[in-house]
Amino acid sequence: MLPLFGTPAGSAEIDHEQEYAACMQLARERPEEAYRAGLAWHKLGGGFAARHCVAVALLELRQYDEAAARLERLATDLGTARTTLLAEILMQAGQAWSLAGRVEKALKLQSNLLEIAPGDPELWLDRAVSQMDLERYEPALSDLDEAIRLDPHLAEARIYRAVALRQLDRLDDAWAEVETVLALLPFQSDALLERGILRQYQGDFDGARTDWLLVIRNDPDSRAAAAARARIEEMDVQVR
């Protein structure tokens, strides 16, 4: 089994387990510091754990290609040992490749990950998003169906399902999916954004504008709000 930590001379006084937890938290809060700390820790025997911290720091620093490559190497080095950690690293690598625009690579890792943890609905959702990025809407629907089967309350999966159904011109089914989410979460921004799009498709421009303005008012800094603003501007240009 691959050891998480190395053991160079002079490193015995370091509590590597504690250092691992601290470095990973720092990677998400102050990634530049975590990157430097991880490199220094690696020289003092941080081993695999220090490499993992450095890779996550790079991911947070939006160095997606480098982060993904490092995470993939970590997964290869880990092999089949420590399944929970392997699953975490594969998930992070998939996210990094996706953010780097290398969706095919992300999809391959996500498929490998699902062989390890097929009971995790979030993993099915991740692969569905990659399928949709590649405009593979039917396979995406299958993944989203599995995510929802595993967790019927996973709102994000239902919203993506509505988007996929809309792309396949199954507008009534898409509408039903959005309404399911909004019945439980009346102000869910992504669901309101999607309902506005569906209303626009039906020619209900006032209804679409109402939904999009609600998104902007309730969640002004979100990606949904940015998309809602763009939709309103586009619709106003078309109406003129």
Side-chain angles (χ1 to χ4, degrees), residues 192-203:
L192 286 169
L193 173 67
E194 184 59 25
R195 188 173 70 179
I197 295 170
L198 291 169
R199 281 178 162 164
Q200 183 185 31
Y201 273 43
Q202 295 173 339

Side-chain angles (χ1 to χ4, degrees), residues 158-209:
R158 291 192 176 277
I159 295 164
Y160 274 110
R161 192 172 190 277
V163 175
L165 288 164
R166 170 168 58 83
Q167 294 290 350
L168 292 167
D169 292 323
R170 293 170 56 184
L171 300 185
D172 289 342
D173 291 335
W175 184 271
E177 204 68 76
V178 168
E179 289 297 295
T180 297
V181 175
L182 290 173
L184 297 172
L185 303 167
F187 299 105
Q188 213 286 341
S189 295
D190 291 309
L192 286 169
L193 173 67
E194 184 59 25
R195 188 173 70 179
I197 295 170
L198 291 169
R199 281 178 162 164
Q200 183 185 31
Y201 273 43
Q202 295 173 339
D204 180 7
F205 303 117
D206 289 339
R209 183 186 301 274

Side-chain angles (χ1 to χ4, degrees), residues 18-32:
Q18 184 176 343
E19 187 70 23
Y20 192 18
C23 192
M24 292 298 281
Q25 182 175 346
L26 189 64
R28 293 175 173 84
E29 295 174 355
R30 300 192 298 279
E32 288 186 8

Side-chain angles (χ1 to χ4, degrees), residues 137-160:
Y137 298 111
E138 290 289 358
L141 276 179
S142 295
D143 284 352
L144 291 166
D145 287 345
E146 184 63 16
I148 292 167
R149 185 188 70 80
L150 290 165
D151 182 359
H153 302 295
L154 188 58
E156 192 176 1
R158 291 192 176 277
I159 295 164
Y160 274 110

Side-chain angles (χ1 to χ4, degrees), residues 59-224:
L59 177 58
E60 294 295 329
L61 289 167
R62 301 184 180 182
Q63 301 295 316
Y64 299 129
D65 285 280
E66 180 63 20
R70 286 176 181 252
L71 288 162
E72 271 206 88
R73 286 197 295 271
L74 287 170
T76 300
D77 291 347
L78 199 58
T80 57
R82 304 179 194 271
T83 302
T84 301
L85 181 57
L86 177 61
E88 178 185 355
I89 290 169
L90 283 172
M91 182 172 66
Q92 291 165 342
Q95 291 169 347
W97 281 128
S98 182
L99 289 165
R102 308 282 291 279
V103 184
E104 290 282 6
K105 277 183 167 287
L107 191 62
K108 181 179 179 181
L109 282 177
Q110 289 157 352
S111 296
N112 292 341
L113 181 51
L114 281 168
E115 293 181 9
I116 297 171
D120 188 334
E122 295 282 353
L123 301 182
W124 289 99
L125 173 59
D126 280 352
R127 191 172 74 171
V129 173
S130 293
Q131 301 274 24
M132 291 174 67
D133 286 342
L134 294 167
E135 300 184 1
R136 300 173 184 171
Y137 298 111
E138 290 289 358
L141 276 179
S142 295
D143 284 352
L144 291 166
D145 287 345
E146 184 63 16
I148 292 167
R149 185 188 70 80
L150 290 165
D151 182 359
H153 302 295
L154 188 58
E156 192 176 1
R158 291 192 176 277
I159 295 164
Y160 274 110
R161 192 172 190 277
V163 175
L165 288 164
R166 170 168 58 83
Q167 294 290 350
L168 292 167
D169 292 323
R170 293 170 56 184
L171 300 185
D172 289 342
D173 291 335
W175 184 271
E177 204 68 76
V178 168
E179 289 297 295
T180 297
V181 175
L182 290 173
L184 297 172
L185 303 167
F187 299 105
Q188 213 286 341
S189 295
D190 291 309
L192 286 169
L193 173 67
E194 184 59 25
R195 188 173 70 179
I197 295 170
L198 291 169
R199 281 178 162 164
Q200 183 185 31
Y201 273 43
Q202 295 173 339
D204 180 7
F205 303 117
D206 289 339
R209 183 186 301 274
T210 297
D211 278 340
W212 294 336
L213 288 174
L214 194 56
V215 173
I216 294 167
R217 186 178 69 202
N218 291 339
D219 201 5
D221 298 324
S222 65
R223 286 185 297 177

